[in-house]
Amino acid sequence: MASFTFMSFGLFNVIIAIYVENTVAAAKYNEIYLKRQRLSDQKMLAEKSTHLIHLVWKLWAAEPQAAESFASAPCLPERPTPQQIAERAASMELGRPFLEKLRHDPRFQEILTELDVSDEDRLDLFETLDVDGGGSLDMEELIMGIAKLRGDARRADIVAVSLVLRSVQQDLVKFQTKVNSTLEAQGRTVQDL
């Protein structure tokens, strides 16, 4: 009787473990599926980008450098249209101090969370997005950069970076060869004189 009870107890534990394992696997699959759906939702990206532009606009308009920029631009009406805001926003130059202020804003953090931008990517956001190294970001760099940061790094991202790097290396070798041949030709010309 005791062995039957022991075996029944063990059998039920195995059944429960299998059930829990299948439930966890289904939940994980569902989470991955929902994340893929969010990442491919272009309407949601456009909506969050619009929220981001409005947030940047509000915060930037309160900054001292905004007054200088607005002084040279035509005045906007009291209630500007989205088109008018987008045109003005395209000319905005966002520096490191402003982006740090923006990064600490809870509304900005909420937008990044909804866009599935990881916490790690938020830490060095300015360095990541300032691709031209100019020391400032325009609105296009900000929006396009955040759109590229969505979701986890994928193998395709790594391969794309590798291919671009290889192309740059090849261009650099061609440039070096051309410079060397030009310098040699100029050296011969100088010696002939």
Side-chain angles (χ1 to χ4, degrees):
M1 179 72 174
S3 64
F4 176 75
T5 306
F6 183 70
M7 285 178 47
S8 296
F9 182 72
L11 182 61
F12 283 125
N13 279 341
V14 169
I15 291 171
I16 289 173
I18 291 171
Y19 175 76
V20 168
E21 182 180 349
N22 287 339
T23 303
V24 169
K28 185 176 182 178
Y29 174 78
N30 192 38
E31 180 181 331
I32 291 170
Y33 175 77
L34 290 174
K35 188 171 188 175
R36 282 186 188 149
Q37 291 297 102
R38 280 194 317 270
L39 291 175
S40 64
D41 187 355
Q42 293 300 314
K43 184 177 179 183
M44 192 265 292
L45 175 61
E47 179 183 309
K48 295 304 173 187
S49 296
T50 303
H51 291 294
L52 180 59
I53 290 171
H54 282 282
L55 175 62
V56 169
W57 175 264
K58 286 179 185 176
L59 293 176
W60 192 77
E63 293 287 311
Q65 77 270 12
E68 299 167 12
S69 176
F70 287 154
S72 62
C75 290
L76 287 176
E78 186 176 315
R79 297 183 62 99
T81 65
Q83 176 72 23
Q84 292 168 322
I85 291 174
E87 289 171 1
R88 179 69 62 87
S91 66
M92 293 168 48
E93 291 291 322
L94 311 173
R96 179 186 304 271
F98 177 79
L99 201 66
E100 281 300 310
K101 179 180 176 181
L102 181 65
R103 193 173 66 82
H104 292 293
D105 188 286
R107 296 168 293 184
F108 183 66
Q109 292 295 330
E110 181 181 335
I111 290 171
L112 293 181
T113 299
E114 291 169 353
L115 288 173
D116 291 311
V117 175
S118 71
D119 292 337
E120 296 83 21
D121 289 334
R122 298 176 196 185
L123 294 176
D124 298 323
L125 194 59
F126 185 82
E127 291 80 12
T128 303
L129 300 180
D130 187 21
V131 293
D132 62 0
S136 65
L137 300 173
D138 59 27
M139 192 58 73
E140 182 181 6
E141 284 178 311
L142 180 66
I143 299 296
M144 296 305 291
I146 288 175
K148 294 282 185 190
L149 288 174
R150 296 179 68 205
D152 300 325
R154 295 173 296 276
R155 183 181 173 126
D157 297 330
I158 296 167
V159 169
V161 169
S162 177
L163 291 173
V164 168
L165 182 60
R166 185 174 301 140
S167 173
V168 168
Q169 286 174 329
Q170 290 171 351
D171 289 345
L172 191 58
V173 167
K174 289 176 187 175
F175 176 74
Q176 182 181 12
T177 304
K178 190 172 185 176
V179 166
N180 285 342
S181 65
T182 303
L183 286 174
E184 288 173 5
Q186 288 177 351
R188 287 190 297 270
T189 304
V190 168
Q191 286 178 350
D192 290 344
L193 292 175

